[in-house]
Amino acid sequence: MKICIITARFYPQLVGSGTSAYVIANELSRRGHDVTVLTDASLQDDSSHAGLPFTTRYVSSLENFSIGKAGFSETLYDLHRQVKLCSPDIIQVCNFMPMLLVSIIRSEIKCPVVFTFFNTPVIGQRTTGYFSDAVLDTSLGSFILQQEAYDQLILGSRHYVDAALSLGAQPENIKLSYLAPDVGSFNRSERVLSLKDIVNNYFPTKDVLPPYLLLPSRITQQKGIIEAIDALAIVNKQSETAYNLLLTGMADPFDKDYARAVLARISELGLNEHILVPRRVISRNDLEVFFKEAQMVVVPSWYEGLGLAAIEAQYLGVPLAVSNTTGLNEVVEDGVNGVLFTPRNSHEIANAALSILTSKVDVSLMVHNAKETVVKFSLNKHIDELEETYRNVIIRYAQWPKD
């Protein structure tokens, strides 16, 4: 199949939509499909795109349009031109604002369209993330979904399905296919590294790392970073061991203003010596090592669409504590394959961490259970389902009468 994927954010941007779109494009191309990704023109000169196994083309101001920093005239014109050049068998659109653009030119697109959103709707509070006003943002999301300029919705969690239904999507147009991280990439390095082999690459003044908790998230408020820092202070007051917190996202903070607030909170609590900030972004292969060497992984997000970092921790056999919130509670069952805590509650985060660190829960059993439950988040299964959906949609589209 000739597949076109439209996404405002993309590799090497470490964001949910960009990462997921990259994984899908990469896996589809490995299976022999002719894949073209249309993404933001700011990535055009990125050297990492040169070796990708699929085609990347670029649309002017696609990301800025998607976040309200640019109008749509130039972007829409460029998108239309690129879609015509691509001439695909099927288009997969990632996220609401690119879908809004596609809906405008839908009558000019001569192939079926499937729609996937990675924005994490919080019903009644946010939908697309375009407007800060909840009413406007919900109205925009509802409008895009109810235009039905797509032939199929493919959604990556039960939460996404519930959100789409609440916004007026038709149940018969929805296909649930659980998102999955590319855990196979953890096993592709030529040799298995240990932490001592790589620690100086990220922490030049250290030969070893002290015991640490890993928080593998972007630096944004909704990821609960400050709450986790407050929890670390509580943990260290109640524990004989002085634990550290590794913040992978601080190597290149997504939200610079929030990162400054994070640093201020660290200083206020006197935790400067206990927060580990890598000097550069940790590579995918090396990240596996930091996962496996962690005492535990904590994911204190206020909300998630699913929680791919939590799935990665379970796959790698690392004890896990996460917020009892949308998405994450589809991955973790409390006390069975991880520990749940109330989001935005530092004391509960600390109690959850201490229950693992002091073995108040059966950590070995939880890790064992996680290895069994995580199989439903299989990348191969997800790509199988995408291929099947693409084929079915293409057949249906060919059978529909054309004006």
Side-chain angles (χ1 to χ4, degrees):
M1 280 180 281
K2 197 171 183 182
I3 302 164
C4 176
I5 297 173
I6 301 173
T7 177
R9 291 173 176 164
F10 195 62
Y11 177 84
Q13 295 171 312
L14 297 176
V15 294
S17 58
T19 300
S20 294
Y22 166 76
V23 168
I24 290 168
N26 204 45
E27 291 302 311
L28 288 170
S29 66
R30 281 185 187 157
R31 295 188 179 198
H33 299 289
D34 182 357
V35 179
T36 297
V37 174
L38 303 184
T39 190
D40 188 70
S42 65
L43 297 172
Q44 188 164 1
D45 297 324
D46 195 294
S47 60
S48 64
H49 283 204
L52 294 176
F54 46 82
T55 302
T56 49
R57 292 180 177 167
Y58 304 94
V59 176
S60 177
S61 301
L62 182 57
E63 182 173 6
N64 279 339
F65 163 76
S66 297
I67 59 176
K69 292 185 177 180
F72 71 88
S73 175
E74 182 182 2
T75 304
L76 184 62
Y77 177 84
D78 208 13
L79 179 65
H80 183 220
R81 181 177 65 87
Q82 292 289 1
V83 169
K84 287 171 65 178
L85 287 171
C86 184
S87 187
D89 298 319
I90 192 164
I91 295 172
Q92 176 156 351
V93 184
C94 301
N95 281 344
F96 282 96
M97 299 311 291
M99 188 63 232
L100 177 61
L101 293 175
V102 168
S103 69
I104 297 172
I105 57 172
R106 183 65 182 93
S107 62
E108 302 299 316
I109 295 174
K110 307 305 180 185
C111 70
V113 172
V114 297
F115 175 33
T116 298
F117 56 84
F118 304 109
N119 311 76
T120 304
V122 180
I123 297 170
Q125 297 181 40
R126 74 184 296 275
T127 302
T128 71
Y130 189 83
F131 291 111
S132 58
D133 183 282
V135 173
L136 285 177
D137 204 47
T138 299
S139 296
L140 178 59
S142 294
F143 175 80
I144 294 168
L145 282 170
Q146 292 177 35
Q147 289 299 298
E148 293 190 345
Y150 48 86
D151 300 283
Q152 183 81 59
L153 265 171
I154 305 176
L155 299 176
S157 73
R158 296 251 173 226
H159 171 64
Y160 285 131
V161 171
D162 291 343
L165 291 171
S166 76
L167 293 165
Q170 297 302 308
E172 62 270 20
N173 289 339
I174 297 174
K175 163 71 176 177
L176 171 63
S177 178
Y178 271 115
L179 291 171
D182 183 15
V183 292
S185 66
F186 284 142
N187 300 321
R188 291 180 189 143
S189 55
E190 294 181 1
R191 64 191 183 94
V192 177
L193 298 173
S194 68
L195 192 56
K196 67 180 181 180
D197 294 321
I198 61 173
V199 66
N200 283 136
N201 295 336
Y202 303 100
F203 302 95
T205 63
K206 298 181 184 294
D207 294 321
V208 296
L209 289 185
Y212 64 90
L213 287 62
L214 178 64
L215 202 169
S217 297
R218 286 183 294 147
I219 304 301
T220 61
Q221 185 179 47
Q222 63 266 29
K223 296 297 184 181
I225 310 297
I226 287 178
E227 291 91 330
I229 291 166
D230 290 347
L232 180 69
I234 297 168
V235 166
N236 283 349
K237 284 181 181 177
Q238 297 184 26
S239 173
E240 294 180 0
T241 302
Y243 290 101
N244 295 261
L245 182 64
L246 172 51
L247 301 175
T248 60
M250 285 296 284
D252 183 20
F254 183 79
D255 183 333
K256 301 293 194 294
D257 290 336
Y258 184 68
R260 284 189 282 273
V262 167
L263 292 174
R265 187 60 176 162
I266 292 168
S267 295
E268 182 182 345
L269 293 173
L271 289 174
N272 299 74
E273 298 300 316
H274 295 286
I275 303 296
L276 301 174
V277 176
R279 70 171 179 176
R280 60 186 179 90
V281 175
I282 299 174
S283 73
R284 184 71 178 165
N285 282 338
D286 291 348
L287 186 60
E288 175 186 3
V289 180
F290 284 100
F291 262 98
K292 288 181 174 179
E293 292 291 333
Q295 304 296 306
M296 60 174 290
V297 168
V298 58
V299 184
S301 306
W302 298 0
Y303 50 81
E304 289 284 356
L306 184 61
L308 298 184
I311 295 170
E312 290 172 338
Q314 291 182 329
Y315 175 83
L316 293 170
V318 186
L320 176 66
V322 306
S323 298
N324 186 6
T325 189
T326 58
L328 287 168
N329 54 21
E330 295 183 54
V331 177
V332 173
E333 183 179 352
D334 191 34
V336 176
N337 58 0
V339 177
L340 293 174
F341 53 79
T342 302
R344 306 178 70 171
N345 187 318
S346 296
H347 286 278
E348 283 213 17
I349 299 172
N351 289 338
L354 285 166
S355 73
I356 291 173
L357 296 170
T358 62
S359 298
K360 290 180 181 176
V361 293
D362 190 334
V363 176
S364 296
L365 180 59
M366 285 198 307
V367 168
H368 171 78
N369 291 340
K371 287 276 193 177
E372 295 185 345
T373 59
V374 79
V375 296
K376 76 175 180 179
F377 305 107
S378 159
L379 183 57
N380 280 334
K381 182 173 183 287
H382 181 53
I383 300 301
D384 286 345
E385 290 170 346
L386 286 183
E387 288 180 311
E388 180 184 11
T389 301
Y390 291 165
R391 285 191 291 267
N392 291 339
V393 170
I394 289 170
I395 291 170
R396 290 204 313 265
Y397 181 84
Q399 294 172 344
W400 289 340
K402 305 297 189 292
D403 294 333

